[in-house]
Amino acid sequence: MELKRVVVTGLGTINPLGHNLAETWENAKNGVSGSDLITRFDASKFKTQFACEVKNYNPNDYFDRKEARKLDLFAQFAMIAADEAVKDANFPENVDKDEIGVIWGSGIGGITTLYDEVMSYSEGGQIPRFNPFFIPKMIGDIAAGQISIKYGFRGPNFGTVSACASSTNALIDAFNYIRLGKAVAIVSGGSEMTINPPGMGGFNSMQALSTNNAEYKTASRPFCKTRDGFVMGEGGASIVLEEYEHAVKRGAKIYAEMVGGGVSADAHHITATHPEGLGAILCMQRAFKDAGMQPSEVDYVNVHGTSTPVGDIPELIAIQKVFGDDAYKINISSTKSMTGHMLGAAGAMEATFSIMSIVDGIIPPTINHREWDPQIDSRLNLTLHKAQKREVRAALSNTFGFGGHNASVIFKKI
């Protein structure tokens, strides 16, 4: 069976750098930090009092009041990002909606709704009173369902959950459905919102978050010797994947081609990356095999690069193993230095940056770097401080999740 080609025809996002793709990409190119003091709740008693929130967000700018009450914030971000991507894809009115699907990732789903309902119950006395929308607001698959309902897309529809790799797995699933001929287009991506007491408190208790409250604007510093944990992010990112011939026939704008995806497990630890990067090596190798490409054909790697002391090094070790001497010819950057860690939305957000690097020939930077870590090979180009211009023939994006879930995707110029 000959596999069909898959291209990107729509992009959309809402995140700590912007409320749309244009604003986000401009801020990313300029190395803007999305980190600031938390405004969503009183974080004064928490070890970490800052995060990368979506700035100036008002649900009423996007939803009527009745609709907003039915949607957890993670689903609101999903709907907003998907709306921009669908409009960008510009499907004709007579498109066959039976052949368009939605596959959406979220690592945690409606934790804000769960927290609010449990708190309300605990404070409400003996009679249990729960919002009738509690369950459909909370469940992780609801974002895919809500998007399909809005647009009438009746193709493959489900949610993916693999912690921080969730939306990368969603993209790979969407890619496979299309190239196998089971859909002509799929709205994919991911969203997350965990900047709330249980989210911040839970990650604090694991010692995963930076506690650098004195320097909160620059606390997300991947690869830096002084890094002390990741900075929580939030938001959503959506990518419309479409069968190539279908896109060409309707005259769609094409950003790039998705050519491969690889997945693996560390089979090592519930939260820690394998110290030798074994799972990361496997998923990158599998992505290259899937794409029928060699590492020498890639010019940019958008790394998982969370800014944790134990997580950053194994990924670079893995890149050096996979790329060999070509590791010193590519650009590497962690855009989490700007957006923070958007958890289940991170993969789709970073795939979007990878796609835009191909379109514009610009590598977004790794910001906030202070001091070189002696464990890191100084010959690697980590794209520190400022964006760099170069032709990007192909870009690879890595995401790794708690539980040892690893996923890599490759996009190339068309």
Side-chain angles (χ1 to χ4, degrees):
M1 177 182 177
E2 185 178 353
L3 296 175
K4 298 179 182 296
R5 296 172 67 187
V6 180
V7 294
V8 176
T9 57
L11 296 171
T13 185
I14 180 168
N15 64 81
L17 297 186
H19 285 217
N20 54 58
L21 178 65
E23 183 183 7
T24 297
W25 183 232
E26 190 64 26
N27 282 330
K29 290 186 293 184
N30 290 327
V32 173
S33 170
S35 183
D36 213 327
L37 296 175
I38 291 171
T39 64
R40 294 204 180 280
F41 68 98
D42 180 4
S44 60
K45 296 180 181 179
F46 285 71
K47 294 178 182 177
T48 298
Q49 299 167 11
F50 59 94
C52 290
E53 296 178 334
V54 173
K55 308 297 184 293
N56 303 311
Y57 178 67
N58 183 352
N60 296 327
D61 292 340
Y62 300 94
F63 309 95
D64 65 45
R65 192 167 298 177
K66 185 177 180 181
E67 185 181 16
R69 287 201 300 266
K70 298 177 183 178
L71 297 168
D72 185 270
L73 279 169
F74 99 96
Q76 291 182 25
F77 291 152
M79 299 285 283
I80 294 164
D83 188 59
E84 183 183 8
V86 170
K87 288 176 180 174
D88 191 31
N90 194 28
F91 292 115
E93 288 187 12
N94 65 349
V95 71
D96 188 352
K97 293 184 178 182
D98 289 356
E99 297 298 316
I100 300 177
V102 184
I103 302 177
W104 200 264
S106 182
I108 297 177
I111 190 174
T112 304
T113 294
L114 176 62
Y115 172 71
D116 289 345
E117 290 293 319
V118 170
M119 290 299 292
S120 177
Y121 170 67
S122 69
E123 295 166 359
Q126 299 299 313
I127 301 174
R129 289 191 176 95
F130 287 89
N131 189 310
F133 296 107
F134 169 34
I135 300 301
K137 283 177 70 174
M138 178 195 69
I139 52 179
D141 66 296
I142 201 65
Q146 290 281 12
I147 294 166
S148 72
I149 291 167
K150 179 175 181 178
Y151 300 102
F153 295 152
R154 292 178 289 271
N157 185 271
F158 57 89
T160 55
V161 180
S162 51
C164 305
S166 295
S167 54
T168 304
N169 279 120
L171 291 172
I172 293 172
D173 283 353
F175 173 60
N176 285 329
Y177 270 97
I178 295 169
R179 65 177 177 169
L180 289 171
K182 297 180 183 295
V184 297
I186 292 180
V187 180
S188 192
S191 58
E192 207 82 88
M193 209 308 280
T194 57
I195 301 175
N196 49 36
M200 297 300 294
F203 280 102
N204 262 153
S205 69
M206 297 170 60
Q207 300 182 342
L209 295 179
S210 169
T211 56
N212 192 355
N213 294 305
E215 299 177 296
Y216 59 85
K217 290 294 288 185
T218 62
S220 183
R221 46 185 75 166
F223 314 122
C224 180
K225 184 181 178 181
T226 64
R227 66 191 183 278
D228 73 324
F230 74 79
V231 176
M232 189 74 80
E234 66 177 11
S238 181
I239 297 174
V240 174
L241 295 176
E242 186 170 350
E243 193 270 318
Y244 173 71
E245 296 293 344
H246 186 270
V248 169
K249 186 176 180 179
R250 71 180 185 86
K253 171 181 60 181
I254 296 175
Y255 286 95
E257 182 174 4
M258 184 170 175
V259 291
V263 294
S264 72
D266 278 347
H268 169 68
H269 189 273
I270 57 172
T271 58
T273 303
H274 193 286
E276 298 173 25
L278 297 187
I281 291 169
L282 272 177
C283 73
M284 284 188 277
Q285 288 175 335
R286 288 169 179 169
F288 279 117
K289 182 178 180 180
D290 194 38
M293 293 175 61
Q294 298 298 318
S296 60
E297 298 177 75
V298 162
D299 295 304
Y300 171 47
V301 177
N302 187 301
V303 292
H304 186 57
T306 57
S307 182
T308 56
V310 297
D312 289 2
I313 303 299
E315 184 174 11
L316 295 181
I317 291 171
I319 288 170
Q320 289 179 277
K321 291 276 189 181
V322 172
F323 282 79
D325 289 340
D326 290 313
Y328 308 117
K329 302 174 185 176
I330 61 174
N331 276 78
I332 296 167
S333 78
S334 172
T335 45
K336 286 186 180 74
S337 59
M338 297 178 281
T339 65
H341 193 348
M342 292 167 61
L343 304 183
M349 186 75 261
E350 290 152 22
T352 299
F353 287 135
S354 300
I355 292 162
M356 292 307 298
S357 76
I358 293 170
V359 172
D360 281 359
I362 296 175
I363 310 294
T366 305
I367 65 170
N368 304 327
H369 192 275
R370 301 285 186 86
E371 186 178 350
W372 196 271
D373 188 330
Q375 297 181 80
I376 296 175
D377 191 331
S378 62
R379 294 173 293 174
L380 294 171
N381 181 1
L382 303 180
T383 320
L384 299 178
H385 312 306
K386 292 184 178 180
Q388 294 179 15
K389 292 183 179 180
R390 73 174 289 172
E391 180 187 8
V392 180
R393 298 166 297 165
L396 178 146
S397 179
N398 288 332
T399 44
F400 313 135
F402 284 174
H405 312 298
N406 307 305
S408 298
V409 288
I410 302 175
F411 299 90
K412 76 174 186 179
K413 186 174 287 187
I414 192 165

